[in-house]
Amino acid sequence: MLNEVTVTRYITPLREGGSLPGLVEGDDHGAYVIKFAGAGQGRKTLVAEVVCGELARRLGFRVPRLVTLALDPVLGLGEPEQQVQDLLRGSGGTDLGMDFLSGALGFDPLGFRASPAEAGRIVWFDALVGNVDRSWRNPNLLVHRGDLWLIDHGATMIWHHNWPGADASAARPYDASEHALARFAPDVAGAAAELAPLVTEDLLAEVTAEIPDVWLTGEPGFTDPDALRRAYARPLLARAATVHERVTGIEERP
Ligand SMILES: Nc1ncnc2c1ncn2[C@@H]1O[C@H](COP(=O)(O)OP(=O)(O)OP(=O)(O)O)[C@@H](O)[C@H]1O
Ligand SMILES: [Mg+2]
């Protein structure tokens, strides 16, 4: 289970994010980026963050530690900005938090060199989860103490918006032509050989067990949270073995 932290203070909005994530302080005195259950796509975005973040971590990627944040909507009352106040008041209960990487910079493809191996691992992972949000325009990669960290997995697994069509949707190829790391000759086949065998039913059960029940209840067609957890695992298990053959838009390596 993810650690549970209670929000004690809302510090500031993070201006770069489309969903207006904020910076908060927890009762453990940690600084967290908060993703609100009451924002835009709401709970599904948070589920995607947990599934992809915890899967990536177990595959050896650097991902900020994730926690659940208990938010008392009363914290919104003192916010001068209407949009922020609405978000806080509409997101009482369980939100998502991640360790704030102090001093991290946004990835700049012209100022950072990724090796073909590292680029390949990240492109392969994004293909696995169908991440459409790692383009050179909006890389959602941070450089922290010289290393690349993965953030923002809210726009992945598009199949979870239409479960009856999930298997067909998950069989689709992945277009990496706009990917932030496409220009680094990503060795996707090498990454697949290393990582695909690690994506097992057991690993995915462990990963999906991290999703808080409260974000899984009430999904049409599912009687209980565990049935929905299995639905999240299934397309990922099916994709892992062969998705590298369906990555398009990157230069072939000689
Ligand atoms: N863990 C973190 N540590 C430091 N900075 C972070 C962290 N997470 C996010 N940020 C900063 O906040 C910005 C917004 O975060 P994020 O991309 O997750 O939000 P979003 O609303 O989903 O964004 P998008 O507009 O890409 O959909 C990031 O681009 C980054 O600059
Ligand atoms: Mg982002």
Side-chain angles (χ1 to χ4, degrees):
M1 224 176 75
L2 301 179
N3 275 354
E4 291 175 28
V5 174
T6 298
V7 177
T8 49
R9 190 161 64 101
Y10 179 81
I11 302 171
T12 184
L14 290 169
R15 288 293 166 197
E16 301 94 336
S19 68
L20 212 66
L23 185 62
V24 300
E25 186 178 65
D27 60 351
D28 59 354
H29 306 293
Y32 296 96
V33 173
I34 186 170
K35 296 265 178 126
F36 294 105
Q41 297 277 358
R43 302 189 310 177
K44 284 200 176 174
T45 307
L46 308 190
V47 172
E49 292 272 13
V50 172
V51 172
C52 298
E54 292 303 317
L55 177 58
R57 187 189 324 287
R58 285 166 176 78
L59 296 177
F61 294 92
R62 283 176 291 267
V63 185
R65 184 177 64 104
L66 300 179
V67 300
T68 57
L69 289 174
L71 177 72
D72 182 341
V74 164
L75 282 181
L77 291 177
E79 276 307 310
E81 215 173 310
Q82 191 63 45
Q83 205 186 352
V84 173
Q85 189 178 120
D86 291 347
L87 262 178
L88 287 164
R89 285 159 54 131
S91 302
T94 305
D95 296 303
L96 179 70
M98 63 198 72
D99 275 347
F100 178 67
L101 303 179
S102 177
L105 294 174
F107 169 78
D108 172 0
L110 301 176
F112 188 93
R113 281 212 68 77
S115 68
E118 180 167 39
R121 287 161 49 85
I122 294 173
V123 171
W124 180 84
F125 177 76
D126 287 332
L128 174 68
V129 299
N131 188 4
V132 296
D133 237 359
R134 194 108 60 208
S135 71
W136 54 269
R137 284 185 202 85
N138 182 17
N140 288 310
L141 292 166
L142 296 179
V143 180
H144 184 55
R145 298 184 181 153
D147 289 321
L148 277 184
W149 289 67
L150 309 187
I151 59 162
D152 195 359
H153 298 108
T156 58
M157 304 188 295
I158 192 167
W159 47 84
H160 74 155
H161 296 291
N162 176 25
W163 285 117
D167 289 343
S169 167
R172 295 217 187 108
Y174 181 74
D175 176 7
S177 55
E178 305 271 285
H179 196 282
L181 301 178
R183 64 194 294 272
F184 295 102
D187 180 7
V188 176
E194 176 199 346
L195 299 176
L198 305 179
V199 183
T200 60
E201 208 169 336
D202 283 353
L203 186 80
L204 291 167
E206 191 185 307
V207 164
T208 54
E210 301 278 14
I211 312 165
D213 277 356
V214 283
W215 298 339
L216 295 174
T217 51
E219 178 71 15
F222 295 88
T223 46
D224 67 290
D226 282 337
L228 188 48
R229 287 189 174 93
R230 286 191 292 276
Y232 272 99
R234 194 179 138 103
L236 296 175
L237 190 63
R239 266 172 98 75
T242 56
V243 72
H244 62 284
E245 295 164 4
R246 281 173 287 135
V247 174
T248 62
I250 50 173
E251 294 161 41
E252 286 293 322
R253 292 198 340 133

